[in-house]
Amino acid sequence: MKKNIIRASVRRFTADMDADERRRQSREVAARLAEAVRRRGASVVALFSPLPDEVDISPLLDSLTGVRILLPRVEDTPAGEPRMEFYDYRADAMAGGAYGIREPQGGVPCLPSEIDLMAVPGMAFTRDGHRLGRGRGYYDRYLAREGFRAWCVGVCFAHQIVDDLPCEEHDRRVDEVVAVGVL
């Protein structure tokens, strides 16, 4: 199945989700992600500001204690190409950024080698970690960066788990997937 067909199907299922079910699954997934942080002994954790159709892990921004929390910011390189970097999260230094996503402002980007665990959003995942993103390649490029070593946790709703995904050479896998119904 083609990537654009899978994305469209997932978007339809997500749009049809009941608000209570969305909140229930988000709470459960956030709890499993917090457990992964503890289990891995992560001290530097890269999360994400969820889009309206993504699992809401934002409660973790203030509930994970004893860890340095990072969030992504998309910015242009000197060559004019957009690139994702991760910055320290501060509740008082957030603003709307690329694609309407809340992003950290100011600061110096964290080196990829400093991140212990990264929560990775996606449109769909297989149980063994194959991932389908939104098609812009930000996470695939970041995960391929020199020095990147973090344990990657795919984060999604239950309906975003599929049996198979088309994969290309540049597509990066995650180490673990957390979703309702996935052990």
Side-chain angles (χ1 to χ4, degrees):
M1 191 178 292
K2 292 188 178 188
K3 291 180 177 184
N4 59 344
I5 294 171
I6 297 169
R7 287 184 185 106
S9 175
V10 168
R11 281 187 182 102
R12 279 192 305 277
F13 274 100
T14 304
D16 290 343
M17 277 183 84
D18 175 75
D20 289 336
E21 180 63 12
R22 182 187 301 263
R23 282 189 291 276
R24 184 189 74 75
Q25 286 194 36
S26 289
R27 280 192 306 270
E28 187 172 331
V29 169
R32 289 181 181 197
L33 181 56
E35 175 54 35
V37 170
R38 286 188 288 278
R39 181 175 22 90
R40 301 291 307 176
S43 60
V44 180
V45 177
L47 299 177
F48 59 89
S49 293
L51 288 167
D53 64 348
E54 292 176 329
V55 171
D56 184 6
I57 63 166
S58 59
L60 293 179
L61 294 173
D62 298 316
S63 68
L64 284 178
T65 56
V67 299
R68 178 182 174 198
I69 296 176
L70 309 171
L71 289 176
R73 183 169 83 207
V74 174
E75 46 199 28
D76 286 331
T77 64
E81 292 293 319
R83 178 177 173 145
M84 185 173 68
E85 296 289 350
F86 283 82
Y87 291 84
D88 287 296
Y89 164 71
R90 284 188 18 238
D92 64 343
M94 298 291 290
Y99 313 108
I101 300 170
R102 301 216 8 103
E103 297 178 334
Q105 302 301 299
V108 176
C110 181
L111 294 173
S113 60
E114 294 178 39
I115 301 171
D116 297 317
L117 185 142
M118 179 180 283
V120 181
M123 294 298 294
F125 293 88
T126 62
R127 291 179 191 280
D128 64 349
H130 288 283
R131 173 185 172 272
L132 176 65
R134 293 183 177 269
R136 291 189 168 87
Y138 290 113
Y139 277 91
D140 287 325
R141 285 192 300 277
Y142 197 90
L143 273 54
R145 287 185 52 186
E146 184 175 332
F148 184 81
R149 59 165 183 78
W151 183 261
C152 294
V153 181
V155 176
C156 64
F157 293 113
H159 67 268
Q160 292 174 281
I161 301 294
V162 298
D163 292 332
D164 191 39
L165 285 171
C167 295
E168 298 174 53
E169 187 176 318
H170 66 270
D171 292 329
R172 299 290 181 214
R173 291 175 63 174
V174 295
D175 300 299
E176 172 181 358
V177 178
V178 292
V180 175
V182 176
L183 300 177

